[in-house]
Amino acid sequence: MSEYVLELDHISKSFPGVKALDDVHFELEKGQIHALMGENGAGKSTFIKIITGVYQPDSGEIRVDGKPVVIRSPLDSQKLGIAAIYQHVTCFPDLSVTENIFIGHENVSKFTRKIDWKTLHNKASELLEKLDADFSPQTVMGSLSVAQQQIVEIAKALSTNARILIMDEPTAPLSKRETEDLYRTVETLQKHGVSVIFISHRLEDMYRLASSVTVLRDGRYIGTWGLNEVSQDDIVKAMVGREITQFFPPRHAKIDGEVLRVEKLSRTGYFKDVSFTVNKGEIVGLTGLIGAGRTEVCEAIYGVNPPDSGTIYVEGKKVWNRHASHGIKEGIGYLPEDRLKQGLVLDWQIYRNVSLASLEQFGKRGFMDEKQERQVAKNLGEKLEIKATSVHDKVSTLSGGNQQKVIVAKLLTRDMKVIILDEPTKGVDVGAKTAIYEIMNHLAEEGYGILMVSSEMPEVLGMCDRVVVMREGRVSAILDAKNTTQEEILQASMVLYQGKPETTDKQEKKNEQKVKEPQS
């Protein structure tokens, strides 16, 4: 009996003009959590599809429990005990949890030829209990959070007796608390003998769960290491093919006069009395725990969901944005957290997405000047180093990092003064993160004021000049990023500041305040 439950040996796969996988090796032990890492375009998706039977390799051998197998279809993969869970959960939102778990392999009574719902509900309850789920199997799927829907997907995999579980970027859409819950679920699976291939861009996922890591780059196998024998810098170098000596690039922007000021901004049920400023050339971080109201404040400034009260000033001019189009006209650009649903039209070409925020600039006598659209998109694509064969490529074919760059290019087609970036590096690989940071620095050097929402403390401290911390819809502190710590930011996120937070005025020295202890 082989010590490996799954082995891939010399696997290669080509598509017209592209070698997606080139002589790839992989070994997974029983009950092991094995991380698979690589930049977007490294071949991870093709790797998954070969194991799950969507694609067949051009060459190489796959072995399960030491025996060679041919996986011609997803059904073959399922029979071998292999299942995959993806970042974006695919489900039937109007059906119950039980129906989603057992769809396609329901228990049917031999006598009545009807589905035995009592038995299915009981089986679903057992699976959910094993995963420490806190919801009923009869709950409607669409009412669950993303994290809960992932648990249902795991239960679905276990219902088919899956022994090998592939998890593709499962933490990308989750909050920090939900991510910790998922970690515990994966560890529970491991205790029950399930082997897990955990694919993630986040190094913290790998260190928290895995015992080994395999790195792919440009479709090629780079190496496999035990996590106790390789450093984080070595893994990053293996992924991107170079050392990232300065993960957060140095700042050279000159911070000038005020470009954005919000005073006592409030929206019932979401945030109250929010006040802060952003200067030209400055990057201000807006952080806090999930649900603190960060995104809602940004949407109010931009005009997606206007505030009930308060005042917004752009370059000293009072503005009242009742719609996103108003925000754009006032010089405010917004990169939303969910780029796929809110930032892009995935089936459109790059150039059409780039021109979306400024269609009137490309219109002539009721017709679009497509030549100008393409030229502007080409120029901005070169400036932002968007990796694509041409501006005619559909945005859906781009990596996450390049999709983010397309949204930034869209913002730059207008005369923007303030750019709001909501989780700009969420779901992108380490190389793309560095590229986005460099773009932010260049924009700051050109005089834009940048407001960045981020849940990652190292990112906030590494990229920002000042940090606005929110808790329960209020500003709890405004801190100088160079003179604060992750612990102080976390404390401000969890303990509401008693009284009015001190702000940093451009005539005053940088604020070094600490959050006051709660009054007894």
Side-chain angles (χ1 to χ4, degrees):
M1 186 83 175
S2 173
E3 63 179 302
Y4 300 112
V5 67
L6 175 69
E7 298 168 88
L8 279 75
D9 200 12
H10 298 291
I11 295 293
S12 295
K13 178 66 178 178
S14 295
F15 299 97
V18 178
K19 189 138 193 175
L21 293 177
D22 186 6
D23 199 30
V24 167
H25 302 262
F26 186 83
E27 296 169 333
L28 180 67
E29 299 174 13
K30 182 178 180 179
Q32 181 188 31
I33 301 174
H34 192 134
L36 179 66
M37 303 198 75
E39 291 191 279
N40 288 324
K44 303 188 298 294
S45 295
T46 305
F47 176 92
I48 296 170
K49 289 176 180 177
I50 282 178
I51 297 174
T52 55
V54 177
Y55 296 152
Q56 285 71 54
D58 298 331
S59 60
E61 184 176 71
I62 302 174
R63 294 187 290 274
V64 174
D65 295 325
K67 300 177 182 178
V69 297
V70 178
I71 306 175
R72 295 187 178 87
S73 68
L75 184 59
D76 286 347
S77 177
Q78 182 179 309
K79 288 178 180 177
L80 291 167
I82 300 171
I85 296 170
Y86 298 95
Q87 172 183 343
H88 302 290
V89 176
T90 302
C91 66
F92 295 92
D94 296 325
L95 300 183
S96 70
V97 167
T98 298
E99 290 170 306
N100 273 273
I101 291 174
F102 292 102
I103 196 161
H105 58 287
E106 300 89 347
N107 278 56
V108 178
S109 171
K110 294 180 180 179
F111 303 104
T112 64
R113 305 304 297 169
K114 294 181 179 180
I115 295 175
D116 184 355
W117 287 112
K118 183 177 180 180
T119 299
L120 289 182
H121 284 315
N122 289 337
K123 286 184 176 180
S125 292
E126 291 174 7
L127 291 168
L128 294 175
E129 185 177 347
K130 182 186 290 186
L131 299 172
D132 295 325
D134 59 355
F135 50 88
S136 163
Q138 292 168 307
T139 305
V140 175
M141 190 73 169
S143 68
L144 300 179
S145 68
V146 174
Q148 290 172 322
Q149 289 179 4
Q150 285 188 343
I151 290 175
V152 176
E153 286 292 289
I154 294 171
K156 183 177 180 179
L158 296 181
S159 73
T160 62
N161 298 314
R163 302 179 298 127
I164 300 167
L165 190 61
I166 306 166
M167 305 189 78
D168 185 15
E169 297 286 354
T171 62
L174 304 184
S175 68
K176 191 171 184 66
R177 182 185 60 78
E178 290 172 332
T179 297
E180 283 296 331
D181 290 342
L182 180 67
Y183 289 159
R184 286 190 287 272
T185 300
V186 175
E187 288 168 342
T188 299
L189 293 173
Q190 184 184 29
K191 289 175 184 175
H192 284 88
V194 177
S195 304
V196 179
I197 302 173
F198 202 97
I199 300 170
S200 177
H201 286 131
R202 300 175 57 186
L203 293 170
E204 56 265 40
D205 289 344
M206 176 188 69
Y207 281 109
R208 175 66 170 75
L209 289 173
S211 59
S212 298
V213 57
T214 291
V215 174
L216 302 181
R217 185 175 74 237
D218 298 329
R220 295 185 178 184
Y221 171 80
I222 302 301
T224 298
W225 301 272
L227 286 182
N228 60 351
E229 60 188 30
V230 65
S231 70
Q232 179 173 313
D233 289 343
D234 290 335
I235 292 171
V236 171
K237 183 178 179 181
M239 288 170 60
V240 302
R242 64 188 186 280
E243 291 185 11
I244 300 183
T245 54
Q246 189 71 46
F247 190 69
F248 298 106
R251 302 287 315 283
H252 301 298
K254 177 185 176 183
I255 298 177
D256 208 341
E258 178 186 287
V259 66
L260 172 70
R261 175 160 42 106
V262 297
E263 292 183 350
K264 296 185 176 299
L265 216 61
S266 299
R267 184 166 177 241
T268 303
Y270 295 94
F271 53 87
K272 185 174 178 61
D273 291 337
V274 172
S275 300
F276 60 84
T277 62
V278 180
N279 297 310
K280 293 179 181 178
E282 185 180 33
I283 300 177
V284 174
L286 185 60
T287 191
L289 302 179
I290 299 296
R294 307 167 307 172
T295 294
E296 289 78 8
V297 167
C298 293
E299 290 178 342
I301 295 170
Y302 186 55
V304 175
N305 292 303
D308 299 328
S309 61
T311 313
I312 303 169
Y313 298 89
V314 176
E315 291 188 333
K317 173 190 171 185
K318 183 177 178 180
V319 300
W320 188 243
N321 300 329
R322 304 298 298 175
H323 190 272
S325 61
H326 299 163
I328 291 172
K329 289 177 182 177
E330 297 295 348
I332 301 174
Y334 181 43
L335 186 152
E337 179 180 5
D338 190 339
R339 61 176 176 266
L340 300 182
K341 290 183 179 178
Q342 298 174 304
L344 298 164
V345 182
L346 295 175
D347 288 335
W348 282 13
Q349 299 94 330
I350 293 171
Y351 77 89
R352 293 187 69 189
N353 273 275
V354 168
S355 64
L356 263 179
S358 49
L359 292 175
E360 69 277 6
Q361 295 183 21
F362 302 99
K364 290 184 178 180
R365 301 191 181 115
F367 294 94
M368 293 296 292
D369 186 343
E370 291 196 17
K371 183 177 180 180
Q372 185 186 7
E373 274 187 289
R374 291 191 292 269
Q375 187 59 50
V376 169
K378 183 175 182 295
N379 293 342
L380 288 171
E382 291 172 353
K383 178 179 179 179
L384 300 178
E385 298 183 353
I386 297 173
K387 293 181 181 178
T389 55
S390 78
V391 294
H392 293 276
D393 288 0
K394 288 187 176 181
V395 171
S396 58
T397 66
L398 304 180
S399 68
N402 284 299
Q403 288 176 346
Q404 294 287 58
K405 292 180 182 180
V406 171
I407 301 176
V408 175
K410 179 174 67 175
L411 303 181
L412 298 183
T413 58
R414 300 189 69 98
D415 181 21
M416 295 296 175
K417 302 174 180 68
V418 180
I419 295 179
I420 302 171
L421 306 174
D422 194 346
E423 300 284 6
T425 64
K426 185 175 182 178
V428 304
D429 59 63
V430 66
K433 279 188 177 184
T434 303
I436 290 170
Y437 296 150
E438 289 174 348
I439 289 171
M440 288 173 63
N441 275 354
H442 291 321
L443 293 175
E445 288 170 11
E446 292 176 11
Y448 293 93
I450 298 176
L451 179 63
M452 178 184 73
V453 176
S454 178
S455 302
E456 297 187 23
M457 292 300 106
E459 181 172 84
V460 169
L461 293 175
M463 286 302 299
C464 298
D465 299 293
R466 287 184 298 137
V467 184
V468 178
V469 187
M470 292 189 66
R471 181 187 183 275
E472 295 182 358
R474 293 175 180 263
V475 173
S476 60
I478 299 178
L479 306 169
D480 178 359
K482 294 180 178 62
N483 296 305
T484 193
T485 64
Q486 293 189 40
E487 290 75 17
E488 289 175 317
I489 294 175
L490 185 59
Q491 184 187 12
S493 300
M494 300 175 72
V495 181
L496 190 60
Y497 187 84
Q498 299 296 309
K500 182 180 178 181
E502 296 178 24
T503 57
T504 304
D505 192 82
K506 69 177 183 178
Q507 283 84 26
E508 297 174 346
K509 292 183 178 180
K510 289 287 186 179
N511 181 2
E512 296 182 17
Q513 56 122 111
K514 298 242 177 103
V515 181
K516 292 183 180 179
E517 293 295 328
Q519 297 174 354
S520 56

